[in-house]
Amino acid sequence: MTKFPCSDHFHSFLKALPKCEHHLHIEGTLEPELLFALAKRNTITLPEWFPPTVEACNKRYSEFADLQDFLDHYYVGMSVLIHEQDFYDLALAYFERAHRDGCLHSEVFFDPQGHVERGISVDNVVNGLNRACKDAAAKFGTTSLLTMCLLRHLPVSSGLDTIKSTEKYFESGVISGLGLDSAEKPFPPELFEECYGALKEKFPKVNLTAHAGEEGDHRYVTNALDLLKVTRIDHGVQSQHSPELLDRLVSNDTMLTMCPLSNVKLQVVKDVEDLPYREFFDKGVSFSINSDDPAYFGGYILDNYVAVHTRFGFSPKEWCTIVLNGINGSWCDEKRKQELREIVDDVYLKYKDVL
Ligand code: HPA
Ligand code: ZN
């Protein structure tokens, strides 16, 4: 299904573009090697059904039946994260890996309820992640923001408690956004209207997003926009089935944070070629390309770019537009956006005559 080969030059071009990642669950970057090392360090016994070796994990991770099948592994995986240092190690490993791919700005999701319900303090989680964000900036020159996600399979009361317990981090700006993840279909966005409303009332400048239109249909996207007042949609693939919704995304410049390899691994589509990238691009729907849970889905951000290129063959100019849309849709400040835009121009000039 490789319709458009990705030459070495084109690969270098995609790597050199100053990419932003907006859809990345830090718990989904837990590579099996680190998972087993942390299980040993923290004397955690994994359930008997969990794949017992790195090789067995990689095999099982290549055959998820759907989102829930993946989530069952993901929640067991995160059970090895206990101490602040574990969260730091996890996040720093991601930032190092993303930097190698030419990702210069990351907006990182984390799932506090997945840790707090195991008795881990939310401060361990946030402080470990925040320290890694700062160290990554110093070491690699990359920037990052943290977005807290609510687990939609848990009750609204748990979401409200989670918001209460993290208010000081929203106040200080350590956490800059709220998202919604986990099992989509049985837990539609409208259930969480109160959580989103409460946070927005207290912190009017907070950034809001939600997973919608991954397994749920396009009405999940519309309801997330109407009721949760999100300004971004995570996944959003199913928006393709509503022309009115696509028009709305274009006119409001709402970015979809799309995850091609994830969509294949979770059986949303058979192949990346079945995703609506060309249609969205031609219509002016803004999207970014992201890895979602790279340790589970077999590819980091550059692998996802290459997967899209080999199916859709976007031109160098079109790739610059895709990357610029991602920069413009980011939640970092204007100064950082301008730095990144200038790198796009430099990379285009460097590569345009050799591609
Ligand atoms: N969808 C929903 N919830 C998730 C995902 C996802 O792709 N990854 C981690 N939690
Ligand atoms: Zn996701």
Side-chain angles (χ1 to χ4, degrees):
M1 292 150 225
T2 301
K3 289 190 186 147
F4 301 90
C6 188
S7 67
D8 289 349
H9 277 315
F10 216 99
H11 190 272
S12 303
F13 166 68
L14 293 177
K15 183 172 168 172
L17 283 170
K19 295 172 289 302
C20 297
E21 182 145 68
H22 309 107
H23 189 152
L24 180 282
H25 303 263
I26 201 66
E27 296 90 347
T29 69
L30 181 59
E31 291 288 344
E33 287 83 357
L34 184 59
L35 189 162
F36 289 114
L38 288 175
K40 196 165 170 204
R41 184 158 110 188
N42 293 329
T43 58
I44 303 289
T45 308
L46 298 167
E48 254 175 36
W49 61 264
F50 196 82
T53 62
V54 169
E55 295 70 32
C57 280
N58 287 331
K59 178 164 187 311
R60 184 64 182 82
Y61 292 179
S62 69
E63 49 200 31
F64 291 127
D66 54 18
L67 173 60
Q68 189 57 55
D69 187 23
F70 152 69
L71 290 171
D72 293 342
H73 291 77
Y74 172 82
Y75 294 121
V76 168
M78 69 168 77
S79 71
V80 304
L81 299 163
I82 308 288
H83 304 289
E84 183 193 309
Q85 188 63 35
D86 302 337
F87 291 93
Y88 174 89
D89 291 346
L90 176 71
L92 200 70
Y94 160 70
F95 286 125
E96 199 272 331
R97 182 67 186 75
H99 176 244
R100 260 196 279 149
D101 272 4
C103 179
L104 301 194
H105 175 71
S106 299
E107 299 184 358
V108 172
F109 294 140
F110 67 104
D111 288 328
Q113 289 154 296
H115 310 297
V116 170
E117 67 170 10
R118 301 181 288 110
I120 311 301
S121 121
V122 76
D123 300 319
N124 278 6
V125 182
V126 177
N127 292 333
L129 298 179
N130 188 37
R131 191 155 58 84
C133 290
K134 287 185 178 155
D135 283 2
K139 272 186 148 150
F140 312 122
T142 50
T143 47
S144 55
L145 295 170
L146 293 176
T147 292
M148 171 176 106
C149 283
L150 298 180
L151 296 177
R152 61 207 308 162
H153 67 271
L154 295 181
V156 169
S157 58
S158 168
L160 290 169
D161 290 346
T162 305
I163 289 171
K164 262 246 144 306
S165 71
T166 50
E167 269 181 5
K168 66 177 175 195
Y169 296 115
F170 283 99
E171 181 89 55
S172 64
V174 167
I175 305 178
S176 62
L178 179 71
L180 184 65
D181 63 0
S182 185
E184 182 183 6
K185 266 195 170 165
F187 303 101
E190 50 270 31
L191 294 174
F192 293 89
E193 200 175 346
E194 189 183 351
C195 295
Y196 276 69
L199 187 70
K200 186 79 179 167
E201 195 175 317
K202 188 124 205 181
F203 303 105
K205 288 194 174 144
V206 71
N207 298 305
L208 301 178
T209 187
H211 282 53
E214 179 185 18
E215 287 190 340
D217 68 29
H218 60 85
R219 290 169 300 183
Y220 286 65
V221 176
T222 301
N223 286 338
L225 293 169
D226 286 343
L227 303 172
L228 306 185
K229 313 285 183 204
V230 299
T231 58
R232 183 189 281 178
I233 293 288
D234 301 311
H235 289 299
V237 190
Q238 306 307 336
S239 311
Q240 66 181 308
H241 301 298
S242 167
E244 301 79 35
L245 174 57
L246 290 178
D247 288 345
R248 178 177 180 181
L249 296 174
V250 174
S251 49
N252 294 345
D253 208 10
T254 306
M255 184 170 72
L256 306 179
T257 68
M258 299 181 74
C259 307
L261 293 179
S262 162
N263 291 156
V264 173
K265 285 294 161 76
L266 299 188
Q267 316 294 337
V268 172
V269 287
K270 264 209 145 34
D271 188 89
V272 173
E273 72 179 359
D274 304 322
L275 290 161
Y277 285 104
R278 173 52 70 185
E279 183 195 345
F280 283 6
F281 184 88
D282 290 349
K283 275 200 150 81
V285 177
S286 174
F287 59 81
S288 62
I289 296 173
N290 307 272
S291 64
D292 204 0
D293 300 282
Y296 291 88
F297 301 149
Y300 283 78
I301 188 169
L302 184 56
D303 302 308
N304 279 274
Y305 271 66
V306 169
V308 171
H309 183 69
T310 53
R311 274 57 167 205
F312 293 91
F314 287 116
S315 71
K317 260 268 159 246
E318 289 174 328
W319 272 114
C320 289
T321 301
I322 292 168
V323 169
L324 285 168
N325 286 343
I327 295 169
N328 294 336
S330 291
W331 290 334
C332 53
D333 61 29
E334 191 51 37
K335 178 170 171 287
R336 179 63 172 151
K337 289 185 186 181
Q338 192 50 32
E339 284 170 9
L340 295 171
R341 289 185 198 110
E342 284 167 17
I343 302 174
V344 175
D345 292 342
D346 294 346
V347 170
Y348 182 71
L349 286 179
K350 178 171 170 198
Y351 281 91
K352 72 179 175 41
D353 296 325
V354 297
L355 296 175

